[in-house]
Amino acid sequence: MNKACDIAGIEPVVVQYLSQPKRVFEFTIPLRMDNGEVKIFNAFRVHYNDALGQVKDGTRFVPNLDLDTVKALGLWMTVKHAVAGIPAGGGKGGIRVDPSRLSRLELERLTRAFIRKLPLKGAWVDIPGADIGTNAQTMAWMLDEYEEIVGYHSPAAINDKPSEVNGTAGSKEATGTGAFYLTIEAVKDLGLENGCSVAIQGFGTVGRMIARLLYNEGFKIVAVSDILGGILNQSGINIEKLESHMDLTGSVIDFLGTTSISNDQLLETECEILIPAAVESVINSKNAHNIKAKLIMECANGPTTPEGEKILEAKGVTIIPDVVTNCGSAIVCSFERTQGLTDDYWDLETVFKRLNERIVKAYWQTAETAKQKNISYRNAAWVNAVIKITKTMKIRGWV
Ligand code: NAD
């Protein structure tokens, strides 16, 4: 962010304001366990910046959650919303807990307590969504508790809900589908061949979706991996059959007609497009020299370290950054709020059509700034975001 502010010529006082969250809530939740014992859990919620609108985004239930992580993720969401043209600020929160160690009833009580103890919440203030360790069921409990507190229905107050309680169509497919739309744009932008070769790390919600869409579009998926390892076939992998194999075995490994490779080898595979869709920091100074792809679409959050990026930049590799590539879920979450506020629920086709319009616009705005200023797509996305947020803060009279 400092680099983006530097390029954009943002004044030091604004940088100082943007370098810290607007509000931080840190609280404890005593939970009566099923055996009668009481355990204390630590919870956090950060409203990073709400110049553009109410804050929103994920709620993480993980055992190692700390406030610094939540703050950083809040900034990330602030930027993602600005890049995607969403009238919202960035928020993030969660509980330091391993949900797999709680019974269903304990988890429900903890989730409801989290919402009760959140000091500021609702469709016009802060809209929690799902993240690691939370899911549609968690969000249904949050919504129900919120509606009990306020005494009326308010589906726009919580995101990532199941369709039974006015969740949106396409929420699970949003990130992979958005990243697919952008891959098509990036291929045009860089003059790559439509249907060129692709390697994908991660075959979960996002990786599987983008693999399926690119395969159906005629791209040659040469390598795929999950946490257990990778598979390679330079002539192309049949993704439809791979999905059946995955459903049957729970992994991509040992798929007929492919060679086994490691996750490290996958990143260095001979291909035009590399799609990291698993975890952070996998592309770094150790392997960047050996990466052969011309284009990297960052579906995962933070898959490239700054040192790795420097090496790739020198090699002429284009990286479409996470805040652009994976902002599909943020866009569809904002659609979920709009639908909740208007009680007008859209079909999947409408959601994807509007997602396509919004995300493609975000791509070309980023590309234009990158070309105009001769900077990377990552810097361009952050520059556009800090300029937009700064302008709004100035109009509001904050700085
Ligand atoms: P997921 O849990 O559904 O899938 C993750 C995949 O990565 C799985 O195939 C898993 O086996 C694999 N994996 C896990 N650890 C790995 C490792 N160390 N090495 C290689 N592979 C590993 O997760 P997801 O929802 O598909 O999210 C993937 C990435 O996209 C994450 O970085 C996430 O933060 C980011 N993201 C997801 C969404 C979303 O809507 N799901 C939105 C924005 C960003």
Side-chain angles (χ1 to χ4, degrees):
M1 190 195 67
N2 285 338
K3 199 168 177 184
C5 287
D6 212 24
I7 298 169
I10 305 288
E11 304 94 305
V13 66
V14 180
V15 180
Q16 193 188 348
Y17 195 85
L18 285 173
S19 302
Q20 45 201 323
K22 176 169 177 174
R23 295 186 201 105
V24 173
F25 303 114
E26 192 171 0
F27 48 97
T28 46
I29 305 177
L31 178 72
R32 176 91 45 199
M33 309 299 283
D34 291 347
N35 64 5
E37 186 191 330
V38 174
K39 277 195 181 163
I40 311 296
F41 292 89
N42 295 82
F44 312 92
R45 187 78 188 164
V46 166
H47 296 178
Y48 198 89
N49 186 296
D50 64 352
L52 299 184
Q54 84 303 140
V55 304
K56 58 172 173 278
D57 202 54
T59 322
R60 231 170 233 207
F61 287 6
V62 290
N64 55 353
L65 192 67
D66 62 59
L67 187 55
D68 276 348
T69 306
V70 181
K71 285 181 185 173
L73 293 168
L75 166 62
W76 225 325
M77 284 319 302
T78 305
V79 169
K80 223 180 259 192
H81 287 146
V83 166
I86 298 168
K92 204 81 179 189
I95 305 178
R96 191 180 298 146
V97 60
D98 179 352
S100 69
R101 299 178 78 92
L102 299 186
S103 72
R104 186 180 162 90
L105 282 175
E106 287 166 345
L107 189 59
E108 180 179 347
R109 287 199 295 276
L110 185 68
T111 304
R112 288 181 181 275
F114 177 79
I115 282 295
R116 277 197 308 278
K117 287 184 170 254
L118 263 192
L120 281 175
K121 54 199 166 242
W124 299 101
V125 187
D126 177 8
I127 307 165
D131 200 281
I132 302 169
T134 52
N135 54 30
Q137 176 60 75
T138 327
M139 305 326 286
W141 288 327
M142 286 196 196
L143 178 74
D144 189 66
E145 189 64 24
Y146 177 78
E147 292 181 341
E148 281 291 321
I149 296 165
V150 296
Y152 50 82
H153 282 283
S154 180
I158 300 286
N159 272 331
D160 297 310
K161 313 174 291 289
S163 55
E164 290 81 355
V165 285
N166 307 111
T168 180
S171 112
K172 196 163 177 232
E173 300 91 346
T175 306
T177 306
F180 162 71
Y181 293 150
L182 293 197
T183 308
I184 302 292
E185 298 306 308
V187 162
K188 281 188 233 157
D189 186 15
L190 302 194
L192 296 176
E193 200 184 311
N194 208 27
C196 62
S197 55
V198 183
I200 304 173
Q201 183 181 58
F203 204 64
T205 310
V206 179
R208 190 170 165 160
M209 190 73 211
I210 194 166
R212 185 189 304 157
L213 294 170
L214 286 172
Y215 175 75
N216 290 343
E217 189 70 19
F219 282 80
K220 188 163 75 168
I221 316 295
V222 293
V224 171
S225 73
D226 61 31
I227 195 164
L228 300 178
I231 53 171
L232 171 78
N233 181 344
Q234 279 297 353
S235 312
I237 297 167
N238 182 321
I239 297 298
E240 207 179 316
K241 290 191 177 150
L242 177 63
E243 289 207 70
S244 308
H245 171 83
M246 174 86 191
D247 289 340
L248 212 64
T249 66
S251 172
V252 298
I253 58 172
D254 297 331
F255 180 57
L256 213 64
T258 61
T259 314
S260 295
I261 53 169
S262 67
N263 260 296
D264 290 341
Q265 286 172 316
L266 178 134
L267 298 166
E268 298 175 14
T269 297
E270 195 76 54
C271 62
E272 304 289 311
I273 307 174
L274 175 62
I275 304 184
V279 286
E280 68 283 352
S281 306
V282 290
I283 301 171
N284 47 50
S285 57
K286 290 197 197 107
N287 60 12
H289 287 293
N290 301 325
I291 284 177
K292 320 232 173 14
K294 296 190 177 77
L295 167 67
I296 297 178
M297 300 293 302
E298 289 188 339
C299 279
N301 281 321
T304 314
T305 66
E307 301 76 29
E309 181 153 3
K310 225 178 243 169
I311 298 166
L312 291 167
E313 254 181 46
K315 284 172 55 163
V317 178
T318 302
I319 302 174
I320 309 303
D322 44 15
V323 289
V324 180
T325 308
N326 71 27
C327 73
S329 61
I331 293 175
V332 172
C333 270
S334 94
F335 294 165
E336 185 170 355
R337 172 178 178 271
T338 304
Q339 293 169 77
L341 286 174
T342 55
D343 249 351
D344 176 20
Y345 296 95
W346 312 340
D347 58 19
L348 194 60
E349 203 185 319
T350 309
V351 170
F352 284 167
K353 183 175 168 288
R354 294 185 182 180
L355 167 64
N356 181 284
E357 285 163 9
R358 189 72 74 89
I359 204 164
V360 167
K361 191 170 169 195
Y363 180 91
W364 288 106
Q365 281 174 344
T366 306
E368 200 179 311
T369 303
K371 284 166 192 161
Q372 258 175 15
K373 296 191 183 296
N374 195 23
I375 54 178
S376 70
Y377 281 60
R378 189 184 316 282
N379 284 338
W382 282 72
V383 162
N384 286 349
V386 296
I387 289 176
K388 186 170 185 180
I389 296 164
T390 302
K391 200 171 161 198
T392 311
M393 292 200 302
K394 284 190 173 165
I395 289 170
R396 286 180 179 278
W398 291 0
V399 284

